[in-house]
């Protein structure tokens, strides 16, 4: 199983430490085409979109999903994957049928740690919140009753950062759901 982390911006190094050995940093569409699982890290989604422009990576991520591969976006990565983005609005890939609001805890809440249901450890950093879930979206974890980790098929999105905790179960769940699918041709 070939796992990679998009390494253009944000906290990709923490994800690499949380993934099984052998996971790689990826910066090109060709590198995405060689993966079975791509992680989109937290960071700043507007900056990521700018860096992604013209790279062909968005198209490579669509190919990855089409050939049965898995994608996991955390925080800014979840914002890239969502269908609708607000506060402020920006374009996104629509690979998970959710509406997401950026920086949704307000300016005064920079970051906090929480225990989810089930009992995953989570860190929220200038976190977004899911505001709408489409019918095909499954909730995998909640915080105070609201969804914070969801999947639609093999596309996973979390509004928190599992990579900043010692709890590896969220990554393990995503890795277990990803299977070798072969490279894009
Ligand atoms: N607030 C950031 C954004 O809107 C996301 C924060 C994060 O990834 N920790 O892109």
């Amino acid at each position: 199983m070939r796992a990679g982390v998009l390494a253009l911006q944000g906290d990709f190094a923490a994800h690499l430490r949380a993934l099984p050995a052998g996971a790689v940093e990826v910066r090109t569409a060709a590198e995405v085409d060689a993966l079975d699982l791509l992680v989109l890290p937290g960071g700043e989604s507007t900056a990521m979109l700018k860096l992604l422009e013209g790279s062909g990576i968005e198209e490579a991520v669509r190919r990855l999903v089409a050939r049965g591969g898995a994608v996991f976006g955390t925080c800014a990565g979840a914002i890239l994957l969502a269908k609708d983005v607000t506060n402020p609005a920006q374009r996104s890939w629509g690979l998970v049928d959710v509406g997401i609001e950026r920086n949704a805890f307000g300016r005064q809440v920079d970051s906090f740690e929480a225990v989810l249901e089930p009992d995953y450890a989570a860190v929220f950093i200038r976190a977004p919140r899911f505001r709408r879930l489409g019918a095909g979206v499954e909730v995998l974890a909640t915080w105070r009753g609201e969804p914070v980790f969801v999947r639609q098929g093999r596309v996973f999105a979390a509004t928190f950062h599992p990579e900043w905790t010692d709890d590896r179960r969220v990554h393990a769940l995503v890795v277990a759901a990803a299977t070798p699918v072969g490279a894009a041709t």
Side-chain angles (χ1 to χ4, degrees), residues 142-173:
T142 58
W143 173 73
R144 296 189 176 170
E146 74 173 72
V148 293
F149 181 30
V150 301
R151 76 181 285 181
Q152 183 169 14
R154 288 199 178 81
V155 183
F156 296 78
T159 55
F160 61 95
H161 293 264
E163 71 278 16
W164 286 124
T165 73
D166 297 327
D167 187 344
R168 297 293 176 244
R169 288 174 297 162
V170 168
H171 286 85
L173 185 156

Side-chain angles (χ1 to χ4, degrees), residues 5-19 25 39-44 48 72-77 123 125 160-165 171:
V5 184
L6 185 68
L8 296 178
Q9 197 269 342
D11 69 340
F12 53 88
H15 273 292
L16 277 174
R17 288 192 293 272
L19 286 164
E25 295 180 6
V39 175
L40 304 170
E44 216 291 316
M48 274 184 211
F72 178 31
T74 63
C75 206
V123 177
I125 305 170
F160 61 95
H161 293 264
E163 71 278 16
W164 286 124
T165 73
H171 286 85

Side-chain angles (χ1 to χ4, degrees), residues 9-11 41-48 74-80 85-88 90 101-104 110 123-128 158-161 163-164:
Q9 197 269 342
D11 69 340
E44 216 291 316
S45 56
T46 310
M48 274 184 211
T74 63
C75 206
I79 295 167
L80 293 184
V85 178
T86 54
N87 191 39
Q90 71 186 6
E101 179 184 341
R102 300 171 64 192
N103 305 302
D110 189 56
V123 177
F124 291 82
I125 305 170
R126 289 181 290 286
T159 55
F160 61 95
H161 293 264
E163 71 278 16
W164 286 124

